[in-house]
Amino acid sequence: SNTIVMSEAPATAWAGAEMNIAGASTVNTVSIFNDSSFGNPIGTPITIGAFGTIGSLYNNEPAYTAEVTLDSDGWNTFPVDWSFNNNFIVAQLFDWEVTIGLDESASPSEHSMILFAGGGWDYWSIAGASIGDGEWGIRANADVTGANVTYNVYTDNVETASGLTNNAFTVTGLTNNTEYEFYATATYPDGEES
C-alpha cells in the first residue's frame, strides 16, 4: 500500500474507481481506505464525488459530491444516494495535504482513473503509473437494475431458447460423442439483438 499526494499547493486532483455498468444503478455507499500511519490522520475531512458520462466520455464535473470525515483506519463507509445510467466513476478529491490510498499489490490497475485539474479523465496506469501503479482505495456498493436485456441460446444455428432473463441455461437432449456449436445473444428493449 502507498499514498499519493499532490506536490504543491494549490494543486488538486480526483482519484476515481471506474464502474462499468450497463443500465440504471444507484450507489448506496462509498468506501475510502485510510491508514493514518502513512496517510490521512483520523478526523481528516475529505470530499468524495461521482462522475457520469457525456456520450462515451466521463464528465469532468461531478454529478454528486459529499463532504465526509475519515473517522478510522481501514475502510470508512459513507451512505449516499447517487443514481446513474451506465458507466460512472466514484472518486475522492486529494491535494497537497489530503492523500489518496493506492494498493500497489493490485497491479496492473484496471479501474483506477485520475482527473488532474484542467485535463480529462485518464487511466492511472497511463497517466501516473510511473509513480506507482495499482488500484485506488475506493469502492462502492450499488444496486444495479441492468440494461433490461433478455438472452437467446442457439444450438447449431437453431434457436434453442429465447427471452431468458437468467444468464444460465442448460441444453438437454444432446447425444454423447456428437459435436455441437453453441452461442448466445442478448436482446435489448429496442428489439436489437447482438
Side-chain angles (χ1 to χ4, degrees):
S1 293
N2 197 355
T3 57
I4 304 295
V5 66
M6 298 301 286
S7 61
E8 60 187 45
T12 63
W14 286 94
E18 182 180 43
M19 306 292 168
N20 295 312
I21 296 175
S25 61
T26 300
V27 180
N28 303 308
T29 62
V30 173
S31 299
I32 304 293
F33 190 83
N34 188 53
D35 184 341
S36 62
S37 67
F38 61 89
N40 298 303
I42 292 175
T44 299
I46 63 167
T47 302
I48 58 174
F51 298 76
T53 56
I54 301 174
S56 62
L57 300 175
Y58 288 108
N59 195 332
N60 289 350
E61 295 297 323
Y64 303 96
T65 61
E67 303 299 319
V68 298
T69 301
L70 297 172
D71 290 329
S72 65
D73 283 333
W75 289 103
N76 291 255
T77 300
F78 309 103
V80 296
D81 185 16
W82 299 343
S83 297
F84 289 95
N85 194 28
N86 298 322
N87 297 347
F88 59 92
I89 296 173
V90 176
Q92 177 195 325
L93 186 65
F94 68 103
D95 58 26
W96 68 98
E97 294 177 315
V98 174
T99 66
I100 178 71
L102 182 68
D103 180 0
E104 292 176 311
S105 71
S107 181
S109 62
E110 295 179 8
H111 303 285
S112 290
M113 304 288 288
I114 189 76
L115 176 62
F116 292 114
W121 282 102
D122 205 348
Y123 287 96
W124 178 248
S125 61
I126 295 169
S130 62
I131 297 170
D133 194 17
E135 296 290 358
W136 300 119
I138 301 171
R139 63 184 180 195
N141 170 282
D143 291 331
V144 179
T145 304
N148 196 25
V149 299
T150 58
Y151 302 97
N152 310 306
V153 176
Y154 294 84
T155 306
D156 293 333
N157 291 319
V158 175
E159 188 175 85
T160 307
S162 64
L164 300 171
T165 57
N166 191 339
N167 63 358
F169 179 75
T170 301
V171 177
T172 60
L174 302 177
T175 304
N176 285 336
N177 299 317
T178 302
E179 188 173 303
Y180 296 93
E181 182 178 306
F182 298 94
Y183 67 93
T185 63
T187 302
Y188 297 88
D190 65 2
E192 181 182 338
E193 184 175 5
S194 64

